[in-house]
Amino acid sequence: EGICITSDDNTYHLCSYQILSSNGDSKVAAKNLFALLRKLDESQSEILYAQTCPTNNGLEFAINDRLKRASTR
């Protein structure tokens, strides 16, 4: 987890970032993603920036699908 700065209309906001799996393990990433999304639902967060999985097979498809659905909320 760390800190980043984003700019939107010359307004700067601090945000946190989290790596869902340091070694690319899809099961770990999925578990951490779903926990993080629940945590974000309870927070005051308005924007989520996410990078999708590089492939779209199996569990990675489910992760990408969940990110896509979260982006439309």
Side-chain angles (χ1 to χ4, degrees):
E1 192 167 337
I3 300 295
C4 65
I5 299 176
T6 61
S7 174
D8 181 39
D9 296 333
N10 296 323
T11 304
Y12 292 90
H13 308 276
L14 290 178
C15 63
S16 66
Y17 71 89
Q18 183 169 355
I19 297 172
L20 299 178
S21 173
S22 61
N23 66 354
D25 184 325
S26 297
K27 288 182 182 180
V28 171
K31 177 184 173 188
N32 290 335
L33 172 64
F34 294 118
L36 179 62
L37 289 175
R38 283 191 297 275
K39 188 176 175 180
L40 287 171
D41 279 343
E42 297 170 359
S43 76
Q44 298 295 319
S45 299
E46 296 178 6
I47 299 172
L48 167 66
Y49 294 100
Q51 181 176 341
T52 58
C53 294
T55 62
N56 211 16
N57 301 318
L59 192 52
E60 292 173 352
F61 173 81
I63 292 169
N64 288 340
D65 180 64
R66 185 61 185 95
L67 287 171
K68 182 179 177 183
R69 288 186 289 124
S71 72
T72 61
R73 290 175 103 194

